[in-house]
Structures are given as C-alpha cells and as structure tokens.
Amino acid sequence: MKITLQVNGEPREVDVAENTLLVDVLRVNLGLTGTHVGCDTSQCGACTVHLDGRAVKACTVLAPQADGANVLTIEGIGTPDELHPMQAAFRECHALQCGFCTPGMIMQAIDLVENGDQLDNAAIREGLEGNLCRCTGYHNIVRAIQSVADAG
Amino acid sequence: MYPFNYHKPETVADAVALFNDADDAMYLSGGMTLIPTMKQRLAAPTDLIDLSGIAEMTGIDVAADKVTVGAFTRHNDVATSGAIGETLPVLAQLAGLIGDNQVRNRGTIGGSLANSDPAADYPAAVIGLGATVHTQERAIAGDEFFQDLFETALQPGEIVTRIEFPVPTRAAYRKFPNPASRYAVVGVLIADFNGAIRVGVTGAGPCAFRASGLEEVLNQNLDPEALEGVEVPDAGFNSDLHASAEYRAHLVKVMARRALNDLLS
Amino acid sequence: MSEAIAEDTGIGAPVRRREDARFITGTGRYTDDLNQPGQVYGVFCRSPHARAKINGVDAEEALGIPGVLGVYTGTEMVADGIGDLPCGWLVKDKAGNDMRSAPHPPLAATQVNYVGEPYALVVADSLQAARQGAESVNAEFEELHAVVELGSATVSEQIYEGIDHNLAYEWALGEEDATRMAFARAAHVTTLELTNNRLIPNAMEPRACLGVHDAATGDYTLYTTSQNPHLERLVLSAFVQVAPEHKLRVVAPDVGGGFGSKIFIYAEETAVIWAAAKVGRPIKWVADRSESFLADAHGRDHITRAELALDEQGRFTGLRVKTTANLGAYLSTFGSSVPTYLYGTLLAGQYKTPNIYVEVQGVYTNTAPVDAYRGAGRPEATYVVERIVEQAARELGKDPADLRRMNMIQPEDFPYETPVALTYDTGNYEASLDKALELIDYAGFEGRRAAAAEQNKRRGIGFACYIEACGLAPSKLAIELGAGVGLYESGEIRMNPTGNVSVFTGSHSHGQGHETTFAQVVSDKLGVPYDDVDIVHGDTGRMEFGLGTYGSRSLAVGGSALIAAAEKIIEKGKKIAAHMMQTTPEQVDFDDGTFSLQDSNQSVTIQEVAFAAYVPADYPEDLEPGLTEKAFYDPNNFTYPAGTHIAEVEVDIETGVVELVNFVAVDDFGHIINPLIVHGQVHGGVAQGAGQALMEHGIYDEYGQLQTGSMMDYCLPRADDLPDFQVDTTVTPCTHNPLGVKGCGEAGAIGSPAAIMNAVTHALGTKDIAMPATPEKVWRAVRGE
C-alpha cells in the first residue's frame, strides 16, 4: 500500500506491505539508518523517533498507522555543523560510547526536555525508563540532558 | 510478521462490520502489546482494524462526579490532562506509571483493558474506582469486566468505546514494578467513596480483582495499622521468575498500606 | 607543537570524541546499515531442545516457499569440508592432559546441545520469506535428557562420548601442600560458598553479518560485528577453512558495543560467508534480540567454595578455592581460559597471602556456551577474594578497611611475585583505599545508617579492593599456557606527503573511542596537529594484522605499538632531516614536530621531512623514499590496574528492594590519555557490575529452556536503577610499556559486584545472598529464611 508521510520536513511516499514497521520504512525504504533496532520486545528504545511531535518506538508502529503523519528522526534535528543543543550536549558530556542507543536516547531526551518541567536528576532518570544504554551507565547521559534542561 | 489486510474505519459501526466480514480479524488500538506479539509471529490475524480514526472513541470529559475517557485515549493524554489531574488525580498518576514515555504516547486505555494483561495498571483503576466499561452494545460494570488471564467480558467483535470513572472522595495507587518489564508485579488502588472503600488489585492474580478482605477491614477502620493483622491469601496468585505467589500476597499488603498512607496524607 | 594544541588535545586532555559527530547525527555505519547489490537474507533454524539427536532435516516445504533460495544444513557444511569452530586456548588439566573438547560444528549436523543452537540456514530474497522458510523446515529431533544444573552436572548423564563426567578439565594452580599446612596452622578460618550468576551480555547492537563472495575473483568479504576482525579471518581461514586467508577480507564497521561477546567466532557468520558462495548472492543476517539471548556467548556462572586462613593478628596465611565453572555446551573461542588463567591467577588480589591453591572444574552443560564477558574471570576472582576478606573482617570484629590495609602489598614490595603465577610490576593500593574512604565519607556512615533506619531502611556499606591483569598478553607466556595465537598488537603510521598522518591499528573500537585517544597519542608523540591525525581500524583489507580489543588491552598494547612505530618514523626522519641540514643524524634532535640541529637555530619540521621523503630530489642515497613505519608490540608483562570500590545500599525491608545509593570508584590505571573517556569506561563497568549484583540473571529451567530470554524478563539496569557515580583515580605508571598505561575498560565491572554484595550483606547482617540480590530473595533474607 502507498503511504505518505512527512519525514524530517520532507514529504515522502513509499509503497510497502501492510505488515511493514515504521522503523523499516525509515531504515530500508528511506535509507535513514540512524534509527536503530536493538530489541524485539519494545524495551530498548533505540528506535525512538517523534511521531506527530511525540516520542514513540518506531519498532512498534505499523507503517499504515503512520500514514499522513509527521516523523522526525535523528537525521532531522541537526547536522555536524549545526548540531541540535541535545546533540551538542551529548558530545560535550561524553554521553555516548558505542553510539548505538544514542539516536533513540537523544530523541527521547528532546521529548523529555520539551514536555517535562523541573527536570532534576531523578526526573531525568525516570524519563529515560524506555531507553537502555549498556555502555555509559547513564551518568553522563543524565548530565547532558540536565545541561540542556538548565539552559532552558 | 504474517501478512494481513489493514483497515482504518471512521465509525464504530464500520469497524464492527469489517470485523464481522473478515475471517479472523483483530482490532488494533495503540498496538503496544499486539504489535510485538505479531512481530514474534504469535498472533496472525487475517485483518487488522485500526481504531485510531474513530472520532467517537476519543476525548476526555470531566464532570464533578464522573470522568469519562474515550477508549482510544492514549496513556499520556490521561497522565497529562489538567482536568483529570484536578478531579481524579489518581487516574492521571496511574496512567503516568504505565510502561515508559514512548509506550504512554501510543498505548490506549481501551486497548489495555480489552487485552486484560494480568500485570497492566489500568485494570486496578477500573476495579478500584468501580468504573463502567462501555461498548457499542452495552455498559459493563468494572467488577464484571475482567474474567481471567487475558480474558474479559467482551464478546467477539465488541469494542470498548469509553470508560466512565466515578469520582471518589479520595484515592491512591501504589505499584511495585517488575524491574525488567516495568509492568506491575503488584498494583493496588484504594478509593474512598464517602467512607465506602474499594480496593482494586492488579498483577497479583490472573486478572485484576477487588480485594474484598482488605475492603472489609478498611471499611471498619481506615487506618494503615488495621492492615497489619490481615491475611492476604495467595491461593490462585501468579508465580513467576520475579515473584512467587507468597511474595505477591505480601506485596499486596505493603502496597495497600502505602497507598492508604498516601490517601490519608 | 604549539601550546594551544598541548592544552586542548595532548595526552591527558579531556578531548571530546571525534567519532561522536557521526553517532549523534545518525550517520554511524553499523553492520545492519550496510547493504550490497543483489543482497538476500538469512534466517537460522534453531534447536527448540536442550539436547536432542537430529534424525533428519526436511527442507522440501521451505524450498517451495516463493523467494526461498536455499536451505543449508550442517550435513552439507561437513560435506563441503567446513571445519569445527575451535577453542583458541588449550588448557591442560592438573595431570597434564589436554582438555577434552567437544566437537563444535558451526551448524549442528547430528545432535543439538543447547536451545537456540543453529542447525540450518534459510536464505531468501526477502526477510519475510526467509522467516517463513525457517518456520517450514521440518527437523526430526529425538529428545535426550538435558544436563542443565551446574552443581550436579558431573554426576549427570554424559553429554558427549569420551568426555567422562561432562568435565572438560580439572585444573589447578598454586601449592596444594603448602596451603594445607597454612590452614593447619591458622588461628582463624573463614569459609564462604558463593555463586557467580550467569550473565547475558546484551550489547545494544545485536550481532549481525553480511557475507559477500565474488565468484570471478574468488574473494570473500565479511562485514561483521566483531571486536577483532583479524582473528575472525584467521580462524575462518586456518581452522574452519571457509576461505584462504588472502582471499578473505573481514570488516568490522561501527560496532555497537561488545563487552567480550563479539570477540568470538560464531556459527552465524561462518555459515553466512560459506553460504554466500553457494547461493551466489550477498547474504545479510541480523540477530533478533531473542536470538542474542539464546546464542550469544554468556558470561560468569560459577559455584565456588572458598576458605581463608588467618593468623592471630589477622594476617592472611592461606586461601583455598574450589570452583565449578559452567562452560556451556561447547568451548567457545576463549571459553576454556576464562575460569582458569584469567581467574585463578588473580586470587592473590592486593594481598600478601603467601599460600594459595585453586582447583577449577570446567563443566559442560546443555546451555549456551560461556565465554569472556567484561572482566572475564577477574570479576569472579575479585568476587571470591573480596567477599571472603569482608566476611573474615566481620567474623573477627575488625574494620574491613583496616583488615585489608594490614594485608596489602606495599609500594616497596614491587615487583611482587604472587603464589599464583603473576608478577605485579607496580601499585599503591593504600593510596586508592584512602582516597575512596575520603570520597565516601566513611566516618559519616553510621550517621547515614541511623538516618536510613528512621525511614525503615537498612543501610550497608561494602568494599572491594580489586586487582586485574590486563594488556593481554606476553605472547610467549600466553602460548606456553595454551593460547593458540600471539597476543601482540600492530600499528602503522603513514606520514602522507602533505604532512598529515594516517594511522592504522590492529586494535578495534566498538565504543572505546580509539579514533580520539590514539590520535591524541600520535599527535603528542610526533608533534603534529591532532586534527591532522586519522585513525583507521577494523578492516583486514586496510591494516596488516591485529588481535583486536578485549581484556582492556587496546591502549597498553595497541597504543604501545603506535609509539614504537612513531619512534621508527622519528628515527628515519632524523636521517632525512640530517641530509636536509647537511649534518649527521646523531646531530639531530626531535621535539614537538621539529627536527633541529644541535647547538644551532637550524631546523626542519616533520611535515617538511615527510614531503622530502616522498619527493626525494635532494635525499640520502642509501635511504628508501617514503615515511611509513609499522611496528608489532609484544608486551613483556601484564598490566595491573587496581583500585578500591565502595558501595552503599539501602534495603527497603518491607519489599526487599535494594537501592544502590552511593558508589565510589578510585582506580589506578597508570597514566591517563583522556580522563573523559576513562571515567566513562568506569561508569559503564560499574553499571554492568550493579546489574550483576542486583538484577541480571540468565536462568534456564530444568529442561534447558532459557527463562530469561528477553528484556521483559532479563533485567538490564536502567537510568533510574542507578545513582550518579563518584569516580577518581590515583596513578602509579605501568613500568613496562612506553605510555605507562594499564587499561580501564573492565575495572568498573570487576570491583563493583563484590562491593555491592558486601554492602547488601552488611545491611542485612547475613553471610551471603546469591547474586542477583533481587527483591524477593532479599525479602526472604530479611525474614531470616
């Protein structure tokens, strides 16, 4: 079936089977491989993107459910020359090591800062409950998000 | 995932008609359980009927004595609803404890109830608050809705359209999350309706239930100390890697006491 | 080198990582992000049984599914002359006999021995068709009794013909008689029974590979999630014989974490690269997380009885350890060495215990193979030593810090030869202990404990003063002890004609940040701007050889190889510079990127020298053009990072929930190249150690079915399970490598489980609680069960 969606501000149309996942539309059909798949039970959050402005796990959204939607992925928030503040903070605070969870972590972190008020250490940690990182122990991820939250 | 036909009706009537016409249809709400199950090839409907386009299933309506939530309302919409936060804060708080942020942005109350996962949070609210579950055909009392493990009073093709929650004088919910999945190992909601106490328990048994033993005690004496001597029998309770039936029974008591402390404070 | 460079990017500077630019923008390239023209997809058929005979594999139905191109079985692999997956470390038992290896075919042909073991590969032109094909392969299994429980495995049914008691080996180290004497004379003996729980590594990127065969040239290319692509190539060529070494290129692109689990040569990439030639199309395979749980090598899984003998003053006089180690169904690539040479040798810890004797039974069970996972043997050793030392302090009524202090090897004792085969080169263990005590505010603990008690919580504090052996390893020693390969590392530095530098290392980064730290090292050594140095790794087609990254060896061994190569560059550069300045090399000094003539103001830059080397118009007659040098560095000892970790926990006695509320790590890693990265490594290691202590447990049921086969049941630490960590360092430089570095990748996971469990048992007042200290277990302990 044909699906039309806005991806990172660009209108895109793909022709996919009904049982295609949004994450595969992004990775396979559109070549946006920054969104990763780290599990098959919707736990790890590596596939987190924004769907109509909300953080969701793209491995648990069917392509037809995203028909007509606005999708924002890690590729759409900044470039190496013009980083999103969250991307810059992750680099500054050494909030990533292998980088595999990072795109999902950043997309959730942006949602958290945009929608959360009074983000202290505990609130940030709680806000990351849908994202697993095996490298950093989260310490520097929390610092990075805190720095963005504090900067307003 | 096995192939299926996808439908996105705009009315409940159309959804039901599609359901009846298909060989083996399933309704798709938020998809937070169904999609992973289909990915693992453990469910293989011929037709998937997406309920997201049905306007009559959305919306939150808050009156002084009653909060009505459309079945397609996503968890975060309940959690962050200012009106619910003011009138029925326990529901907003409970919704904010479901899964994680990304799951709360997709999952819906109707989907959660229809699935009747023994460890889901919302059933504790339906039971504890004595809610009424509405479908296209009838109104089902919350106490009658959950029947067994993943089994509800819903008939094939029946769709949960909205849920009505009576507003108690005060209420509180405590959850002991499974450290891995964040589902409730045990969740207890206590509500006080002008002195009449209801206790809804999720996680402990095959489906959510009223803890009548606890209610009896608390109806006589709404005091955490009153719970000390109460026995919570663990017969029929769930037992798995994370918690034995005995431990679950103990947690019911601890969560009940903590919820009661919250309620009284 | 300008001052600005020294401040920003030199050795010791917290340089922000250059690799981050791609990872934070979603432009990293992991194996699953790569595609090849004509690519098809592979899905494995995996055993549903823990132990069964395969009486036949019927692929007819699968081959009838549209899109299915082939079904490849173990029988065909054998017929094609594909060899077994080897174990790379031959351990001899205490009688001097070779360990007993169970044959390990990449695809099971006649018998399956653990749930998830692959027995066939289905290849199709879509992933969907491949999955359906795999479901349609009909294998006829004859179920056999599975040996699952470690404690009774040696008295259970024999799994393999010729391997009595399911024992791969009974290995021992140390002086048995002398240790017995020490116990006979002891004033006090502390005994402890411990389990070290099975862990499932769960790097966030699941394993994956993409196998390509070019029929015209006979070249094979394997893109795979490997920590050591050259070792992968060597094993696939020399042992498995999939392809000749010069015709096989192995590329490990961006790799999303490994923690040991991506060291090993697995069945999947072996079958995929073999089948790529048979089907004539590139094949991609990407593990589902569920497959990772079943078929990645697991870690730890020991049962141990330990005894510590002490004299009247509390000095340790003897340590006796008997361990049963689960090896799983097969010996994985380094599975045999982990519970022996990487474990028994570390049992001296930081102490002057004069007599140590350890016996290890390596046991086969019908479970996934067990191999190195972050720390690999050293966390297990630290767990034994630090738990029993803490217990001894409790039994003797001594302060655990004091008891440790009085037994520690002192700075003047180095080099210190332990009774378990290692010679520690340097260290200052009390310095780390003192700093850690200060950071945790040890004096204030009783106050914090009282405050917790008011909240109905029990607070406990626990120590671990660990040591580890890293920088694997002196090749001669390792090969003598059974290693199948040398454990040196290679490095190559190419000064390009325009003066910038391309650096090639056999080490491999899967999150460690080599592209940054190695550039810091080379920039510092050669005095070229940091931005002019590029680090290349992870491709057998681009660098000569390498042994990869594990055992915290990259900087100590790989970094040292780069220093050696840089020294050769400088040496040759001096000859060229001397010619340019019309003098002799002996008259030329090198510093900060500049070759200068002694006692003069004449100088040439390294960039000018590089240009001259490639445009040799006016050039020494007897010198080859070009300025490229390579070096192999073979360490002459292990490095010995050490430190003190202190944990504080609070136990909710009503629910049994343990909260890790404070964690201090003070580590001595020798010199530090980039403190930002070092601290990050410690954070991650501590999180994994906390996972082991409190949450993670790979559990099989009695039939050998994995009960914790998904992230729904196997509990990985999340952000809200952990506190902020307090991390600091002390420094005694390693004495035998040019950088004075020791390695920092595993320390966090080595010290933390013992520290946390000492804190939990302290809080509960119990002798032991088996890891992980999950709520129900702790609740039962509180109730005295």
Side-chain angles (χ1 to χ4, degrees):
Chain A
M1 67 185 290
K2 281 207 168 62
I3 308 270
T4 328
L5 57 179
Q6 287 274 113
V7 180
N8 299 331
E10 300 279 327
R12 307 296 293 259
E13 190 182 279
V14 293
D15 195 352
V16 294
E18 286 79 355
N19 59 356
T20 308
L21 297 166
L22 174 60
V23 70
D24 291 324
V25 171
L26 296 172
R27 288 182 53 82
V28 179
N29 298 82
L30 302 179
L32 296 169
T33 55
T35 302
H36 298 148
V37 178
C39 77
D40 45 14
T41 52
S42 315
Q43 299 282 305
C44 81
C47 64
T48 301
V49 300
H50 293 185
L51 185 67
D52 290 331
R54 294 171 145 194
V56 304
K57 293 179 178 176
C59 75
T60 319
V61 177
L62 295 169
Q65 290 179 293
D67 193 12
N70 199 329
V71 180
L72 183 64
T73 73
I74 189 71
E75 290 93 343
I77 61 168
T79 63
D81 295 330
E82 220 171 315
L83 294 173
H84 184 283
M86 192 63 77
Q87 292 171 310
F90 266 58
R91 181 166 194 269
E92 177 61 26
C93 297
H94 185 38
L96 61 148
Q97 291 179 26
C98 83
F100 196 78
C101 77
T102 307
M105 198 65 84
I106 288 176
M107 297 311 286
Q108 166 56 17
I110 291 172
D111 181 288
L112 184 61
V113 170
E114 282 175 359
N115 295 312
D117 40 28
Q118 294 185 328
L119 283 178
D120 59 8
N121 186 292
I124 291 169
R125 287 181 179 277
E126 217 171 279
L128 296 177
E129 65 186 332
N131 294 74
L132 291 168
C133 169
R134 196 61 161 156
C135 292
T136 64
Y138 305 100
H139 181 107
N140 286 339
I141 293 176
V142 175
R143 275 205 313 137
I145 298 170
Q146 188 78 65
S147 73
V148 177
D150 290 350
Chain B
M1 207 180 303
Y2 295 104
F4 53 81
N5 302 309
Y6 174 84
H7 312 274
K8 193 174 172 184
E10 291 182 357
T11 66
V12 171
D14 287 351
V16 174
L18 284 162
F19 187 95
N20 291 332
D21 286 349
D23 283 346
D24 185 12
M26 287 182 86
Y27 294 123
L28 172 68
S29 193
M32 293 297 95
T33 300
L34 181 55
I35 293 172
T37 310
M38 290 174 66
K39 277 163 68 177
Q40 290 177 304
R41 302 168 85 85
L42 299 171
T46 57
D47 292 73
L48 211 52
I49 302 164
D50 184 349
L51 305 177
S52 66
I54 302 176
E56 60 196 289
M57 286 175 64
T58 61
I60 293 169
D61 185 54
V62 176
D65 60 344
K66 192 170 74 181
V67 170
T68 308
V69 181
F72 200 82
T73 308
R74 304 196 195 267
H75 307 325
N76 261 347
D77 289 335
V78 174
T80 60
S81 157
I84 294 180
E86 205 150 287
T87 305
L88 188 55
V90 71
L91 191 66
Q93 180 229 340
L94 176 147
L97 294 174
I98 299 171
D100 54 53
N101 180 52
Q102 294 96 313
V103 166
R104 292 192 290 273
N105 276 334
R106 293 295 292 169
T108 68
I109 185 167
S112 169
L113 296 180
N115 187 46
S116 184
D117 188 301
D121 293 279
Y122 266 135
V126 168
I127 297 281
L129 295 169
T132 304
V133 180
H134 290 265
T135 73
Q136 79 274 26
E137 291 166 3
R138 56 184 174 143
I140 306 170
D143 287 351
E144 315 294 322
F145 187 78
F146 305 103
Q147 304 206 325
D148 206 342
L149 197 68
F150 299 108
E151 250 184 68
T152 66
L154 294 173
Q155 295 300 308
E158 200 171 2
I159 301 177
V160 176
T161 54
R162 65 182 195 279
I163 301 94
E164 277 176 18
F165 294 96
V167 175
T169 323
R170 48 190 177 166
Y173 178 65
R174 278 291 185 128
K175 168 184 185 176
F176 187 89
N178 175 322
S181 70
R182 303 282 158 130
Y183 273 96
V185 171
V186 162
V188 178
L189 189 142
I190 303 183
D192 172 7
F193 289 88
N194 289 320
I197 304 301
R198 289 182 67 98
V199 181
V201 176
T202 191
C207 61
F209 62 91
R210 276 179 81 170
S212 42
L214 297 181
E215 288 182 3
E216 221 167 273
V217 172
L218 295 177
N219 272 321
Q220 282 169 19
N221 185 7
L222 197 61
D223 184 331
E225 305 238 321
L227 291 171
E228 288 311 316
V230 183
E231 274 292 302
V232 176
D234 63 12
F237 273 17
N238 305 325
S239 190
D240 57 29
L241 282 180
H242 305 283
S244 66
E246 183 191 8
Y247 180 55
R248 277 189 162 85
H250 167 75
L251 287 176
V252 167
K253 219 162 107 173
V254 176
M255 292 301 115
R257 181 152 36 73
R258 291 181 182 184
L260 189 57
N261 279 326
D262 293 347
L263 181 144
L264 295 170
S265 67
Chain C
M1 185 169 33
S2 73
E3 283 302 306
I5 290 172
E7 274 171 25
D8 293 335
T9 61
I11 286 177
V15 180
R16 272 53 181 173
R17 299 197 321 171
R18 55 169 56 156
E19 38 275 89
D20 290 3
R22 63 181 190 273
F23 295 139
I24 57 180
T25 53
T27 52
R29 289 288 172 265
Y30 301 87
T31 300
D32 188 24
D33 301 337
L34 308 176
N35 295 295
Q36 287 283 317
Q39 167 183 308
V40 296
Y41 299 86
V43 168
F44 286 90
C45 299
R46 296 184 182 276
S47 172
H49 305 297
R51 184 163 170 250
K53 270 191 188 150
I54 304 175
N55 287 334
V57 177
D58 179 358
E60 200 184 320
E61 189 188 334
L63 288 166
I65 289 169
V68 171
L69 303 168
V71 176
Y72 302 98
T73 64
T75 312
E76 281 168 81
M77 271 190 127
V78 173
D80 263 15
I82 303 300
D84 286 352
L85 296 173
C87 176
W89 199 300
L90 181 81
V91 169
K92 288 190 186 294
D93 69 14
K94 57 184 181 180
N97 302 312
D98 288 355
M99 65 187 186
R100 289 168 288 274
S101 296
H104 188 186
L107 293 178
T110 57
Q111 183 166 323
V112 285
N113 288 303
Y114 66 95
V115 170
E117 181 175 1
Y119 62 86
L121 168 64
V122 177
V123 177
D125 61 10
S126 74
L127 187 55
Q128 184 77 8
R131 278 191 204 284
Q132 211 189 328
E135 274 181 5
S136 307
V137 170
N138 296 304
E140 196 190 310
F141 292 108
E142 182 184 331
E143 264 192 89
L144 301 169
H145 176 79
V147 177
V148 181
E149 199 200 308
L150 178 59
S152 60
T154 57
V155 293
S156 297
E157 192 170 317
Q158 190 169 321
I159 301 172
Y160 298 107
E161 218 179 284
I163 303 183
D164 296 344
H165 306 296
N166 298 319
L167 270 174
Y169 49 71
E170 280 188 286
W171 177 88
L173 183 66
E175 296 294 333
E176 185 175 18
D177 292 340
T179 306
R180 189 185 303 122
M181 294 291 288
F183 275 87
R185 288 193 300 263
H188 181 83
V189 173
T190 294
T191 304
L192 203 52
E193 314 254 348
L194 296 168
T195 55
N196 205 290
N197 42 324
R198 178 181 279 245
L199 303 178
I200 305 179
N202 276 299
M204 291 315 300
E205 179 204 24
R207 284 192 294 121
C209 64
L210 173 56
V212 185
H213 177 244
D214 183 333
T217 61
D219 290 341
Y220 290 81
T221 308
L222 175 65
Y223 302 88
T224 186
T225 50
S226 174
Q227 298 180 210
N228 41 3
H230 286 87
L231 187 69
E232 178 99 37
R233 182 178 69 162
L234 180 65
V235 170
L236 289 179
S237 301
F239 298 93
V240 185
Q241 300 187 321
V242 169
E245 200 167 1
H246 68 300
K247 287 295 190 187
L248 174 60
R249 177 180 165 205
V250 177
V251 184
D254 286 332
V255 173
F259 317 110
S261 69
K262 292 172 182 169
I263 298 172
F264 321 121
I265 316 309
Y266 285 97
E268 289 85 356
E269 63 260 25
T270 307
V272 160
I273 191 71
W274 165 72
K278 297 188 83 75
V279 76
R281 306 266 292 268
I283 302 173
K284 182 190 269 192
W285 167 76
V286 181
D288 288 341
R289 179 59 58 183
S290 306
E291 288 182 284
S292 310
F293 273 101
L294 293 172
D296 285 6
H298 295 180
R300 318 278 194 260
D301 208 352
H302 288 191
I303 301 173
T304 292
R305 178 186 163 84
E307 299 160 284
L308 180 68
L310 301 95
D311 69 13
E312 261 131 32
Q313 283 74 45
R315 274 187 292 266
F316 309 154
T317 56
L319 177 67
R320 193 156 50 192
V321 175
K322 187 160 178 145
T323 292
T324 306
N326 200 339
L327 301 170
Y330 300 103
L331 296 177
S332 172
T333 314
F334 289 111
S336 58
S337 63
V338 175
T340 51
Y341 290 108
L342 295 177
Y343 168 70
T345 52
L346 272 303
L347 289 169
Q350 299 187 353
Y351 311 113
K352 290 192 273 195
T353 316
N355 303 291
I356 300 176
Y357 180 67
V358 52
E359 278 185 345
V360 178
Q361 291 190 321
V363 173
Y364 289 108
T365 59
N366 291 114
T367 62
V370 178
D371 205 326
Y373 166 64
R374 202 171 196 166
R378 292 152 291 167
E380 295 93 313
T382 299
Y383 194 65
V384 171
V385 174
E386 290 304 297
R387 288 293 316 282
I388 201 163
V389 165
E390 189 101 5
Q391 176 60 25
R394 288 176 197 165
E395 289 176 6
L396 296 174
K398 287 184 186 290
D399 182 286
D402 291 345
L403 184 68
R404 285 179 167 88
R405 197 187 294 277
M406 75 175 285
N407 282 286
M408 276 176 178
I409 300 161
Q410 296 300 312
E412 62 271 19
D413 297 331
F414 295 104
Y416 179 84
E417 201 177 324
T418 74
V420 275
L422 295 178
T423 302
Y424 301 166
D425 64 333
T426 183
N428 185 345
Y429 305 141
E430 279 195 82
S432 299
L433 175 61
D434 288 339
K435 206 173 206 179
L437 289 171
E438 189 190 315
L439 281 176
I440 201 95
D441 178 21
Y442 190 44
F445 173 73
E446 286 305 329
R448 295 192 292 279
R449 188 180 214 180
E454 279 176 24
Q455 306 296 313
N456 213 11
K457 289 192 173 165
R458 287 196 204 155
R459 192 164 174 125
I461 189 166
F463 295 77
C465 299
Y466 75 93
I467 190 161
E468 52 168 331
C470 295
L472 272 62
S475 293
K476 187 167 179 293
L477 174 67
I479 292 167
E480 268 172 25
L481 297 178
V485 289
L487 290 167
Y488 45 81
E489 193 49 272
S490 79
E492 180 177 351
I493 298 180
R494 295 182 198 161
M495 289 290 306
N496 298 316
T498 54
N500 49 35
V501 188
S502 300
V503 177
F504 298 80
T505 173
S507 183
H508 179 266
S509 176
H510 35 283
Q512 293 87 349
H514 293 9
E515 291 165 38
T516 301
T517 38
F518 283 20
Q520 285 179 261
V521 168
V522 172
S523 156
D524 195 277
K525 181 76 185 171
L526 292 181
V528 293
Y530 167 79
D531 287 335
D532 284 357
V533 182
D534 235 20
I535 306 294
V536 182
H537 66 93
D539 184 347
T540 63
R542 295 189 73 184
M543 64 273 319
E544 192 165 329
F545 199 73
L547 272 310
T549 291
Y550 42 83
S552 307
R553 68 192 298 273
S554 285
L555 191 61
V557 190
S560 295
L562 292 178
I563 293 292
E567 275 163 4
K568 291 186 188 175
I569 293 270
I570 293 165
E571 195 187 317
K572 183 170 181 183
K574 279 185 181 172
K575 291 180 188 164
I576 301 167
H579 183 86
M580 292 167 80
M581 294 186 286
Q582 296 176 330
T583 182
T584 62
E586 294 72 32
Q587 299 297 307
V588 177
D589 289 335
F590 179 77
D591 184 43
D592 240 6
T594 303
F595 295 93
S596 48
L597 179 59
Q598 287 159 11
D599 306 320
S600 86
N601 57 5
Q602 236 189 310
S603 67
V604 291
T605 66
I606 193 168
Q607 290 83 358
E608 288 167 328
V609 166
F611 187 79
Y614 288 96
V615 189
D618 182 15
Y619 198 70
E621 269 178 22
D622 53 350
L623 201 63
E624 290 174 22
L627 195 53
T628 291
E629 296 289 349
K630 62 184 72 158
F632 281 67
Y633 177 83
D634 199 344
N636 53 38
N637 192 356
F638 292 93
T639 62
Y640 298 98
T644 293
H645 291 186
I646 307 179
E648 279 188 39
V649 301
E650 283 188 1
V651 179
D652 177 338
I653 57 176
E654 284 186 334
T655 59
V657 169
V658 177
E659 188 187 355
L660 180 60
V661 288
N662 200 358
F663 196 95
V664 166
V666 179
D667 302 288
D668 178 356
F669 299 133
H671 285 316
I672 285 174
I673 307 300
N674 185 326
L676 199 66
I677 286 176
V678 166
H679 288 179
Q681 288 291 317
V682 175
H683 295 156
V686 171
Q688 287 183 357
Q692 164 155 38
L694 301 176
M695 293 164 237
E696 299 182 35
H697 196 184
I699 302 172
Y700 286 92
D701 72 9
E702 59 184 307
Y703 307 104
Q705 297 291 336
L706 184 64
Q707 300 295 288
T708 51
S710 84
M711 290 172 176
M712 301 283 280
D713 286 311
Y714 186 90
C715 187
L716 294 165
R718 286 180 169 85
D720 58 357
D721 295 316
L722 299 169
D724 280 353
F725 306 120
Q726 296 183 69
V727 173
D728 209 335
T729 51
T730 57
V731 179
T732 60
C734 173
T735 59
H736 57 80
N737 66 44
L739 288 163
V741 298
K742 298 182 181 179
C744 66
E746 296 161 294
I750 290 172
S752 54
I756 293 168
M757 292 309 294
N758 281 335
V760 171
T761 51
H762 182 237
L764 296 176
T766 54
K767 189 168 177 181
D768 184 40
I769 183 164
M771 291 192 288
T774 50
E776 179 164 358
K777 259 192 233 170
V778 173
W779 172 69
R780 291 190 182 280
V782 169
R783 299 205 308 173
E785 285 180 24

